[in-house]
Amino acid sequence: MPSMAAPGSQQRWLLSLLLGAILLLSLTPSLRLLVEALSDLGLGNEAPLWRVLSSSRTWLALWHSVYTSVLGMLIALLLGGLFAFAITLTDVRGKGMLMFCFMLPMMIPPQVTALSWLQLFGPASPLLNSLGVAPALGSPQPLHSGEGIALLLGIQSAPLVFLALRTSLVALPRELVEAARISGARPFQVWWHTVLPLTRGGLVAGGAMAFVSNLGNFGIPAMLGIPAGYHVLPTLIYQRMAGFGTGVLAEMAVLSMLIGGLALAGVALQQRLMKRSRFGLIGHVGRAHDLSLGRWRGWVEAGLAALLAVLLVAPLLALVVGSLVPAMGVPLTIESATLEAYREMLGRQGVTRRALHNSLWLAGGAALTLMAVSLPLAYRLLRLPRRWQGLALGAIELPYALPGVVLAVACILLFVRPLPLVEVTLYGTLGLIFIAYLARFLMVGLKPVTASLAQLDPSLEEAAQLAGAGLWRRLSGIVLPLMAPALFAGGLLVFLIAVNELTVSALLWSAGNETLGVLVYTLDQGGDSVLASAVAVLVVAVVALMMLALSLLASRLPRGVIPWRN
């Protein structure tokens, strides 16, 4: 018996070492950031902390961050709540397509969202010029403002509200709704007096997620705010780093801690409000209530379709039109239509191939690595005591919950100097972006595997253990085949998010190490909006195809793994 126990003990130790390494990857950047932000406090007014806190630019950027994030959150609550209530509670048709289209903006990179809306409005809009309704030359671009930033932030984060509220709605006890209807209540009365009070927890959770997402968004405030001199904290950090390099890292650490503190405050407020909720929902998950809209159903369906046309179709159409004209401001006609931008970016511009190669390598490598570690990590996590399990999951979730710019600054602080012993420098290389991706997207790849593993019948593994199968044999022969769809879905989600990522890579890229997200941003900032539109159209096509591929896996996965499916 001792000889049989030793291998099992060693295997458990290996799993524990893996868990420790993952926690180190998740926690070390944040701890390094905290140490740097609090450094040199003995210098008094010359300490980085006091210099940052005494600057009027800091407080103005902080106010802009709060203003745009809160206003964007309110827009997200309005849009996400409208679609969640309509799709989940009523008998509207085409729910699958409506959900897919509404979720698409969340998966489209924010810089592409910003570019598509910039192509839609303003005197240089190719689409408006083609229709003959463009504003006069010299007219201001309405999106270059705090309200314009908040509008796009709200559209980008509205799917988060939709997901959180829908989770509450599908768990709403069906009997309560039916009792209200039998009592003669009209659909609006059922919603106002029964549904809304019971699902306020979902609204609170969705609003908090939207606020944190808006706070850390870089692409939209950068493309809309920087040209107008309207800075939020992430763009202030970016411009300071671009202007002064690593010489201001201590100050950037303080700014990053401000963003992180705001994000954590939003999460803490959400948890406090959630605890006040007196209702526990125990309905059957996934069952729609289908309140009959009667003669209003056609009008509601038309309204939802029209809203999607404004939020999604019109900006994407403007993006396509903007990629087919020779220059901004030129109307699209049979004579002016050209594919020159696509030929330039795909055939003659080496930077496109390089950015595509870098993005595919980084996203594919991160997806495969996280797929490899997710199963043993989830297996070990689910066997920890509940208290330690919660702490471990919290540590793993931290890099994803905090704004990406915070993680980027923390990674720079960790790796700006050569690694000890080996004297290898990661700063300015793809390796640093890869490490940041692993830390940030670990939770994305781990969540589907943890959900599937929790539903696995333990008797299968227990029978194999009684037959003498060791831990690795059980994992490879029993658990892995059953978890393969969840592993693949998690890897595909990581790839989908990472291949167009900008918030982290905006601070970590260097010449020759561009990614697709950085390429779209730098092309637009350099005045090559037509070329940027061509790349953005290709990015949207890839995102839509990958979402369709994930949808094909939905029937083999636990509920909730694919966000836009039931």
Side-chain angles (χ1 to χ4, degrees):
M1 291 297 293
S3 62
M4 293 181 63
S9 177
Q10 292 174 359
Q11 291 163 354
R12 283 191 295 273
W13 270 106
L14 285 174
L15 289 178
S16 297
L17 285 174
L18 173 64
L19 176 60
I22 296 300
L23 292 177
L24 191 65
L25 178 69
S26 300
L27 289 176
T28 303
S30 298
L31 293 176
R32 179 68 183 89
L33 191 70
L34 182 62
V35 170
E36 186 70 23
L38 299 179
S39 64
D40 299 326
L41 285 179
L43 296 178
N45 293 336
E46 296 301 316
L49 177 65
W50 304 122
R51 286 203 305 270
V52 171
L53 295 182
S54 61
S55 171
S56 59
R57 293 187 66 190
T58 300
W59 296 106
L60 182 60
L62 177 65
W63 161 244
H64 288 166
S65 289
V66 174
Y67 174 71
T68 56
S69 297
V70 171
L71 184 55
M73 177 191 70
L74 295 176
I75 295 171
L77 284 171
L78 178 63
L79 294 175
L82 173 64
F83 270 82
F85 285 125
I87 292 176
T88 311
L89 292 182
T90 71
D91 59 346
V92 294
R93 293 162 291 190
K95 293 184 177 184
M97 181 58 67
L98 287 172
M99 281 194 290
F100 182 88
C101 293
F102 189 71
M103 292 298 300
L104 189 57
M106 186 177 76
M107 296 298 175
I108 294 175
Q111 66 273 19
V112 173
T113 298
L115 180 61
S116 66
W117 280 80
L118 286 171
Q119 302 281 37
L120 180 61
F121 289 105
S125 168
L127 180 60
L128 296 185
N129 276 284
S130 301
L131 298 174
V133 294
L137 290 176
S139 301
Q141 168 59 264
L143 294 174
H144 287 318
S145 62
E147 292 72 25
I149 294 172
L151 172 65
L152 298 200
L153 289 177
I155 294 171
Q156 188 90 21
S157 58
L160 295 174
V161 176
F162 174 87
L163 291 175
L165 182 56
R166 181 171 168 78
T167 300
S168 296
L169 289 171
V170 296
L172 191 67
R174 197 178 185 91
E175 295 77 12
L176 291 178
V177 177
E178 291 177 348
R181 294 170 64 186
I182 291 172
S183 300
R186 296 179 179 179
F188 178 79
Q189 294 173 317
V190 173
W191 175 77
W192 181 257
H193 295 292
T194 303
V195 174
L196 189 59
L198 290 174
T199 56
R200 67 182 184 186
L203 279 171
V204 169
M209 288 191 292
F211 174 79
V212 172
S213 174
N214 295 342
L215 193 65
N217 194 300
F218 172 78
I220 290 173
M223 295 188 72
L224 301 186
I226 289 179
Y230 191 96
H231 294 294
V232 295
L233 286 174
T235 58
L236 180 62
I237 291 175
Y238 173 79
Q239 290 216 299
R240 292 280 289 170
M241 286 289 295
F244 298 95
T246 57
V248 292
L249 274 177
E251 296 179 17
M252 298 309 96
V254 177
L255 289 172
S256 299
M257 292 303 296
L258 279 177
I259 303 176
L262 276 176
L264 293 177
V267 174
L269 180 61
Q270 171 215 348
Q271 293 176 345
R272 182 183 179 89
L273 292 174
M274 292 284 286
K275 286 181 180 179
R276 292 184 177 182
S277 178
R278 298 169 296 164
F279 309 109
L281 302 180
I282 54 174
H284 298 287
V285 175
R287 293 183 62 189
H289 293 273
D290 289 342
L291 292 174
S292 177
L293 294 173
R295 59 191 178 90
W296 293 102
R297 185 170 72 167
W299 290 102
V300 172
E301 291 171 348
L304 295 177
L307 196 53
L308 283 175
V310 172
L311 299 180
L312 181 65
V313 178
L316 292 183
L317 179 61
L319 192 66
V320 173
V321 171
S323 70
L324 296 176
V325 295
M328 288 294 292
V330 176
L332 180 64
T333 63
I334 296 177
E335 292 77 18
S336 65
T338 175
L339 295 175
E340 184 61 26
Y342 293 95
R343 284 194 288 267
E344 177 71 20
M345 296 310 298
L346 295 177
R348 295 190 286 268
Q349 287 279 358
V351 65
T352 306
R353 293 190 294 273
R354 186 169 64 241
L356 178 62
H357 173 269
N358 291 340
S359 293
L360 293 177
W361 185 88
L362 289 167
L368 291 174
T369 302
L370 295 178
M371 285 172 66
V373 303
S374 289
L375 181 57
L377 180 59
Y379 187 90
R380 188 69 185 96
L381 278 171
L382 291 178
R383 280 152 181 80
L384 289 175
R386 186 169 296 276
R387 179 182 177 185
W388 291 107
Q389 184 183 122
L391 291 174
L393 284 172
I396 292 171
E397 194 172 355
L398 185 63
Y400 189 69
L402 289 175
V405 68
V406 176
L407 178 63
V409 172
C411 287
I412 293 173
L413 287 168
L414 272 176
F415 298 105
V416 68
R417 296 183 179 88
L419 296 175
L421 301 180
V422 294
E423 295 299 319
V424 174
T425 301
L426 289 178
Y427 180 67
T429 67
L430 288 177
L432 181 55
I433 302 177
F434 182 71
I435 292 173
Y437 281 9
L438 291 180
R440 183 154 180 81
F441 301 125
L442 173 59
M443 196 64 195
V444 177
L446 183 65
K447 186 176 179 180
V449 182
T450 306
S452 292
L453 198 57
Q455 296 180 13
L456 185 65
D457 188 352
S459 62
L460 296 174
E461 191 183 354
E462 291 169 359
Q465 188 173 10
L466 290 174
L471 176 61
W472 296 117
R473 181 68 180 275
R474 300 196 303 272
L475 282 176
S476 62
I478 297 176
V479 180
L480 179 59
L482 297 172
M483 294 297 105
L487 278 170
F488 185 73
L492 203 53
L493 280 172
V494 170
F495 184 87
L496 180 61
I497 298 172
V499 75
N500 299 306
E501 197 279 333
L502 176 65
T503 305
V504 173
S505 52
L507 290 179
L508 301 182
W509 77 282
S510 59
N513 293 324
E514 303 92 345
T515 62
L516 282 174
V518 170
L519 179 61
V520 173
Y521 174 68
T522 54
L523 282 173
D524 182 73
Q525 294 300 295
D528 295 322
S529 296
V530 175
L531 300 182
S533 299
V535 177
V537 169
L538 297 176
V539 166
V540 173
V542 170
V543 169
L545 287 175
M546 294 185 68
M547 288 178 66
L548 287 172
L550 271 172
S551 297
L552 297 177
L553 278 174
S555 61
R556 303 185 61 188
L557 297 171
R559 291 187 179 96
V561 170
I562 307 299
W564 52 91
R565 294 297 296 265
N566 290 341

